[in-house]
Amino acid sequence: MFEQSVYAGRRRALVASLTRLGVGDGLVAFVGNGESPRNYADNAYRFRQDSSFLYYFGIAEPGLAATLDVGSGVARLYIDEATIDDLVWSGPRPDAEAYRALCGADSAVPRARFAADAAAAGDGLLFTPPYRADASIELGAVRRVAPGAVAAAASIPLIRAIVAQREIKEAREIVEIETAVDTSIRMHRAVIAAARPGATESEMMAEAYRVAYAGGCPAFPAIATTKGAVLHNHGYPGRLADGGLFLLDAGAESAEGYAGDLTSTFPISGRYDARQRAVYEIVLRAGEAGSSMMRPGTSFRECHFAAARAIASGLKDLGIMKGDVAEAVAAGAHACFFPHGLGHQMGLDVHDMENLGEVWVGYDGEPKSAEFGLKSLRMAKPLKCGMVMTVEPGVYFIEGLIAAWKAEGKHSAFIDYAEAERWISVGGVRNEEDWLVTDEGARRLGGPFEKSAAAMESYKARARP
Amino acid sequence: MFEQSVYAGRRRALVASLTRLGVGDGLVAFVGNGESPRNYADNAYRFRQDSSFLYYFGIAEPGLAATLDVGSGVARLYIDEATIDDLVWSGPRPDAEAYRALCGADSAVPRARFAADAAAAGDGLLFTPPYRADASIELGAVRRVAPGAVAAAASIPLIRAIVAQREIKEAREIVEIETAVDTSIRMHRAVIAAARPGATESEMMAEAYRVAYAGGCPAFPAIATTKGAVLHNHGYPGRLADGGLFLLDAGAESAEGYAGDLTSTFPISGRYDARQRAVYEIVLRAGEAGSSMMRPGTSFRECHFAAARAIASGLKDLGIMKGDVAEAVAAGAHACFFPHGLGHQMGLDVHDMENLGEVWVGYDGEPKSAEFGLKSLRMAKPLKCGMVMTVEPGVYFIEGLIAAWKAEGKHSAFIDYAEAERWISVGGVRNEEDWLVTDEGARRLGGPFEKSAAAMESYKARARP
């Protein structure tokens, strides 16, 4: 935890922000996460606190709640004292008063009192949309609506105020994020070193997780795959083969809960072949095109399109795309090979504040495009100093997608499908970095991790016994 | 997955068992597990299927459901076809008909039809108590009760039939469990080799998980601690110190979902000191006392008390306990040092079928003691050939518990508190093995893993560079 004044200050700023948005009273409810059962209640997954609870109250213990009275600014923590069984099974822990002091709340009362306090606020109860079913049940009981109807009753001003606050990272948060990114770099270096023909995808994931757990934990399920063209591949059944590419999309979470998120695509046998290298370098250029445009006031949509044009231009040079590059991108033809967005905000969540809704986190309330490709752009709004963004262009040869578009004749003015099919064996290439928007532009977060094809080859060469 | 006839056969046996229990019709509902959100909906924990769903239908995919008509024996799988977005993001997967064939169900229909089919069964809908809130919401909507009231409406005959079937392991299940135990042994050997003064508990946990993930995943959150006297220590903040003990309670889950569960307690610097060795050897003798009694017809409660008497006897030799050993154990005095049960069933769950309720899994419907210590005995009923049990005695010097009992003068005829306090620095020792009940008695599962003090010291000695 940070010192208590950090949390008290954040809560004061939230109250001020709500007041500016016209909410002068009401009770903000923070329902902390509970244990998350795996195959039975007591075999729980590793506990993860809700990120907004963590941001405003800092305590990473399961089963808590908190309230913040907008009119008075009074903060209350709902927490039970440990029992003798807790002592025997889980060891000594601070008492409720100690926890209250750690987060600077005004009082600490038994957890069971939350329901009555929340119900007493009536329609003045403000909360964010729950993403866990137990929170939906608890808030539904308080508001007397079905669990499925709770999210629709969430407070838009509260969502807007939290997004506006959390998306501008404090200096202490940047320190945490860089710690997480540095651990993430070590995850990648360890996997690049361990990769060899005959190894399994599971072993590569396990090696990445080993590094993450030693310093915190993984921030999200790693993608560790020989099939980089499957964008969110969360199975690890494959075996590494000579001549293939390996794609690792993995990041660590720091002890305070901040994320890192990096992707590397490297040659299993140590050398990119000519086609792999050509695609890899297009992806690097796309990342440069996107990140070099980042500065306060520029919309991330513009950065995305700059990267998309770099990809279309590179693919045109290879004969895979054709026609006018700007027209091709405007029409969405590049999405056959780059079907996702350039990146997303990152902080306490790897997709920061995704539970609060892309409409606010990424679009300032504007509707998002429903077009294939563009609908996967998580962030489009103008950048501000202090935002942290991932920049993660990719080029993929997705057999099923190419076949489907070819059959429809889709964008046939811009895509040479016969040529595209000849590149399917390259699979998929993505390169992902984490960037901080600064006054002048943007800087990459974390220590040195050069991504040129030569550097990637040298990491592997140096790792050889 | 096993072949489809395995699942069809298990479902036929379940129907026959329900019929014998007087349930001749009705519709058994299996709600498979969904994705489990971590800090937002799409950042989910590693998927784990519900174990009974896995046992009767075998498909480890999120968001499925199934029904089994008791009268006709007809099985239906509720599953949606993949979309083009699924293809792009998650890769190609089998279609619904292929999944139906894999588990041998009679039909496969869209997931949305489950609600109507389940509701049509009315009070004839049979289900097990949900342990995930989303299943409580879904079944609550079908049965028109609040989510919190669903568990109370679960079917006791269904619970009894499933317990009776799952607790007798098939030969193919023993093969899976031994695979998991062998991976678990490798986890322990790797941590024993890696342990050194100055290393962190997190690094030890990370090393154990690395081995588990390469062959499946961890079966439960590892206990990897320098404070063995905290029974379920799930934090890893400590650092290994010269002269101390390290306790690792960790196990792997096989690819088919079966668990291993082992505990080792070893000296960080390679040699047990005299006190550590004395306690360690009491724990080994307690394990032998318990496991040597295991055979069909003997209650596991008797095995537990045999281990408890071995512990009390050993502690009496050390001057920590006193008086008549049998009387001390009958009075519960040993529970100050051995506050948990001897073990639990193990299979698809590390605490097998815990979600179905200890009253059936461990007690054949009899009430469990509420006495400290005995209330933590998860299994008391007679053993049967084919059951798999953990045997995990421990001796702990829990400072807060010793202080509390001393202040009360509790069992002062059997405990020398002044002497007990002199052993607090030993901390806690546990040794855990996994055993199969056979016709003649019981056999330890997994490959060689000798646990004598000399063997444990030699594992470390051989691991030195």
Side-chain angles (χ1 to χ4, degrees):
Chain A
M1 286 182 70
F2 303 119
E3 57 193 40
Q4 63 160 240
S5 62
V6 171
Y7 304 103
R10 287 172 175 175
R11 293 190 298 261
R12 274 196 304 276
L14 178 62
V15 166
S17 178
L18 283 167
T19 306
R20 279 195 302 276
L21 288 166
V23 181
D25 56 17
L27 190 72
V28 182
F30 297 91
V31 179
N33 281 341
E35 296 279 14
S36 192
R38 193 173 170 272
N39 49 339
Y40 54 91
D42 278 356
N43 194 15
Y45 289 105
R46 184 183 175 105
F47 174 71
R48 177 53 157 78
Q49 186 56 286
D50 171 72
S51 294
S52 288
F53 192 95
L54 211 48
Y55 186 84
Y56 292 107
F57 289 87
I59 305 173
E61 295 286 340
L64 308 184
T67 53
L68 177 62
D69 187 288
V70 181
S72 65
V74 165
R76 175 170 277 187
L77 179 65
Y78 299 83
I79 184 169
D80 293 324
E81 300 289 358
T83 65
I84 185 81
D85 280 324
D86 292 330
L87 169 78
V88 169
W89 289 87
S90 306
R93 70 162 201 222
D95 64 13
E97 166 55 23
Y99 277 121
R100 183 206 62 72
L102 283 169
C103 67
D106 298 285
S107 62
V109 299
R111 178 64 170 85
R113 283 180 56 182
F114 173 76
D117 286 0
D123 289 347
L125 192 73
L126 313 174
F127 52 86
T128 57
Y131 51 91
R132 286 196 180 179
D134 48 0
S136 294
I137 291 172
E138 182 164 23
L139 288 169
V142 166
R143 291 293 297 257
R144 302 187 184 194
V145 298
V150 172
S155 164
I156 302 296
L158 178 63
I159 290 170
R160 290 178 58 199
I162 293 177
V163 168
Q165 189 173 4
R166 282 182 53 193
E167 73 184 0
I168 308 301
K169 268 59 179 181
E170 305 159 354
R172 65 177 67 82
E173 294 184 282
I174 300 298
V175 170
E176 281 290 321
I177 292 170
E178 290 215 84
T179 299
V181 174
D182 285 340
T183 306
S184 306
I185 290 172
R186 287 200 302 278
M187 294 166 72
H188 283 251
R189 296 291 293 263
V191 171
I192 293 170
R196 64 184 193 288
T200 65
E201 292 173 346
S202 291
E203 287 167 349
M204 298 301 103
M205 177 273 276
E207 179 64 7
Y209 279 18
R210 180 187 64 76
V211 178
Y213 278 118
C217 64
F220 56 92
I223 301 168
T225 183
T226 57
K227 297 188 193 305
V230 179
L231 301 188
H232 274 181
N233 203 346
H234 289 149
Y236 313 97
R239 202 170 274 280
L240 281 61
D242 196 27
L245 292 177
F246 194 83
L247 187 150
L248 178 68
D249 185 343
E253 185 171 293
S254 75
E256 291 291 337
Y258 289 83
D261 182 7
L262 303 175
T263 306
S264 305
T265 309
F266 60 89
I268 291 164
S269 309
R271 301 281 292 177
Y272 296 94
D273 70 23
R275 286 184 179 222
Q276 291 166 349
R277 183 180 302 262
V279 174
Y280 186 76
E281 290 181 343
I282 290 171
V283 173
L284 287 189
R285 283 201 299 277
E288 288 157 13
S291 58
S292 65
M293 287 190 63
M294 291 170 67
R295 62 182 51 82
T298 301
S299 81
F300 198 66
R301 184 190 275 107
E302 293 175 62
C303 304
H304 170 80
F305 279 117
R309 285 189 298 270
I311 286 170
S313 171
L315 292 177
K316 183 179 173 183
D317 291 344
L318 300 181
I320 298 165
M321 291 187 71
K322 56 189 180 180
D324 183 78
V325 163
E327 282 176 30
V329 168
H334 65 284
C336 187
F337 309 102
F338 176 38
H340 60 75
L342 183 61
H344 48 79
Q345 298 204 53
M346 187 183 85
L348 279 167
D349 305 307
V350 57
H351 295 171
D352 211 25
M353 302 173 281
E354 184 168 302
N355 58 307
L356 301 179
E358 269 175 14
V359 67
W360 298 112
V361 177
Y363 285 78
D364 266 346
E366 300 293 321
K368 192 168 70 165
S369 167
E371 189 189 326
F372 182 84
L374 213 48
K375 76 178 176 186
S376 301
L377 177 63
R378 298 174 191 277
M379 167 85 175
K381 70 185 184 182
L383 298 168
K384 293 180 195 164
C385 181
M387 283 182 171
V388 170
M389 300 296 312
T390 67
V391 175
E392 47 176 317
V395 169
Y396 315 89
F397 298 94
I398 305 170
E399 193 164 7
L401 184 63
I402 290 170
W405 282 28
K406 180 185 182 184
E408 289 175 46
K410 196 166 172 178
H411 296 308
S412 55
F414 300 117
I415 299 175
D416 183 331
Y417 286 105
E419 186 59 28
E421 287 167 348
R422 283 191 278 272
W423 290 73
I424 283 172
S425 67
V426 172
V429 171
R430 180 163 65 254
N431 183 49
E432 181 178 17
E433 299 171 340
D434 304 322
W435 288 75
L436 169 68
V437 181
T438 64
D439 277 332
E440 300 86 38
R443 77 170 174 88
R444 196 182 64 76
L445 294 171
F449 188 31
E450 233 235 287
K451 287 296 195 66
S452 71
M456 296 296 281
E457 291 177 348
S458 82
Y459 297 146
K460 270 222 73 66
R462 274 182 279 161
R464 292 237 173 78
Chain B
M1 286 183 72
F2 303 119
E3 56 193 41
Q4 65 157 240
S5 62
V6 171
Y7 305 102
R10 288 172 175 175
R11 293 191 298 263
R12 273 195 305 275
L14 178 62
V15 166
S17 177
L18 283 167
T19 306
R20 280 195 301 276
L21 288 166
V23 181
D25 55 18
L27 190 71
V28 182
F30 297 91
V31 179
N33 282 342
E35 296 280 13
S36 192
R38 192 173 170 272
N39 49 338
Y40 54 91
D42 278 355
N43 193 16
Y45 288 105
R46 184 184 174 104
F47 175 71
R48 178 55 157 75
Q49 185 56 286
D50 171 73
S51 295
S52 287
F53 193 95
L54 212 47
Y55 187 84
Y56 292 106
F57 289 86
I59 304 173
E61 295 286 340
L64 308 185
T67 54
L68 177 61
D69 188 286
V70 181
S72 65
V74 165
R76 174 171 279 188
L77 179 66
Y78 299 83
I79 185 169
D80 293 325
E81 300 289 0
T83 65
I84 185 80
D85 280 324
D86 293 330
L87 169 78
V88 169
W89 290 87
S90 307
R93 71 165 202 221
D95 63 13
E97 166 55 24
Y99 277 122
R100 184 207 61 74
L102 284 169
C103 67
D106 299 284
S107 62
V109 299
R111 178 63 171 85
R113 282 180 57 181
F114 172 76
D117 285 2
D123 290 346
L125 190 73
L126 312 174
F127 52 88
T128 58
Y131 52 91
R132 287 197 180 178
D134 49 358
S136 294
I137 293 173
E138 181 164 24
L139 287 169
V142 165
R143 290 294 296 260
R144 301 188 184 194
V145 298
V150 172
S155 164
I156 302 295
L158 177 63
I159 289 171
R160 292 177 58 198
I162 292 176
V163 168
Q165 187 173 6
R166 282 182 53 193
E167 73 183 0
I168 308 302
K169 268 59 179 181
E170 305 159 354
R172 67 177 66 82
E173 295 185 281
I174 301 298
V175 171
E176 280 291 321
I177 292 170
E178 291 215 83
T179 300
V181 174
D182 285 339
T183 306
S184 306
I185 291 173
R186 286 200 304 277
M187 294 167 72
H188 283 251
R189 295 291 294 264
V191 170
I192 293 170
R196 63 183 193 288
T200 64
E201 291 173 347
S202 290
E203 287 168 349
M204 298 301 102
M205 177 272 275
E207 179 64 7
Y209 279 17
R210 180 189 63 78
V211 178
Y213 278 119
C217 64
F220 56 92
I223 300 168
T225 183
T226 57
K227 297 188 193 308
V230 178
L231 301 187
H232 275 181
N233 204 346
H234 289 150
Y236 314 98
R239 200 171 275 279
L240 282 61
D242 197 27
L245 293 177
F246 194 84
L247 187 151
L248 177 69
D249 185 343
E253 185 172 293
S254 75
E256 291 292 336
Y258 289 83
D261 182 7
L262 303 175
T263 307
S264 306
T265 309
F266 61 89
I268 290 163
S269 309
R271 301 280 293 177
Y272 297 94
D273 70 24
R275 288 185 176 222
Q276 291 167 348
R277 183 181 302 263
V279 174
Y280 187 75
E281 289 181 344
I282 290 171
V283 172
L284 286 190
R285 284 201 298 277
E288 287 156 15
S291 58
S292 65
M293 288 189 63
M294 291 171 67
R295 62 182 50 79
T298 300
S299 80
F300 198 67
R301 185 191 275 107
E302 293 176 61
C303 303
H304 170 79
F305 278 117
R309 284 190 299 271
I311 285 170
S313 172
L315 293 177
K316 184 178 173 183
D317 292 344
L318 299 181
I320 298 166
M321 291 187 72
K322 56 191 179 177
D324 183 79
V325 163
E327 283 176 29
V329 168
H334 66 284
C336 187
F337 309 102
F338 176 36
H340 60 74
L342 183 62
H344 48 78
Q345 297 204 54
M346 188 184 84
L348 278 166
D349 306 306
V350 57
H351 295 170
D352 210 25
M353 300 174 282
E354 184 167 300
N355 58 308
L356 301 178
E358 271 177 10
V359 66
W360 298 112
V361 177
Y363 285 78
D364 266 347
E366 302 292 322
K368 191 169 68 164
S369 167
E371 189 189 327
F372 182 84
L374 213 49
K375 76 178 176 186
S376 301
L377 177 63
R378 299 176 189 276
M379 166 86 175
K381 69 185 185 182
L383 297 168
K384 293 179 192 162
C385 180
M387 282 183 170
V388 171
M389 300 296 312
T390 68
V391 175
E392 46 175 319
V395 169
Y396 314 89
F397 297 94
I398 304 170
E399 193 163 7
L401 184 62
I402 291 170
W405 281 29
K406 181 186 182 185
E408 290 176 46
K410 195 165 171 179
H411 296 309
S412 55
F414 299 118
I415 299 176
D416 183 331
Y417 286 105
E419 185 60 29
E421 286 167 349
R422 283 192 279 274
W423 290 73
I424 284 172
S425 67
V426 173
V429 172
R430 181 164 63 252
N431 183 50
E432 181 178 17
E433 300 171 339
D434 304 322
W435 288 75
L436 170 67
V437 181
T438 64
D439 277 332
E440 302 85 37
R443 78 169 174 88
R444 195 181 66 75
L445 294 171
F449 188 31
E450 232 234 288
K451 286 296 195 70
S452 70
M456 295 298 281
E457 290 177 348
S458 81
Y459 295 146
K460 270 221 74 64
R462 273 182 280 160
R464 291 236 173 79

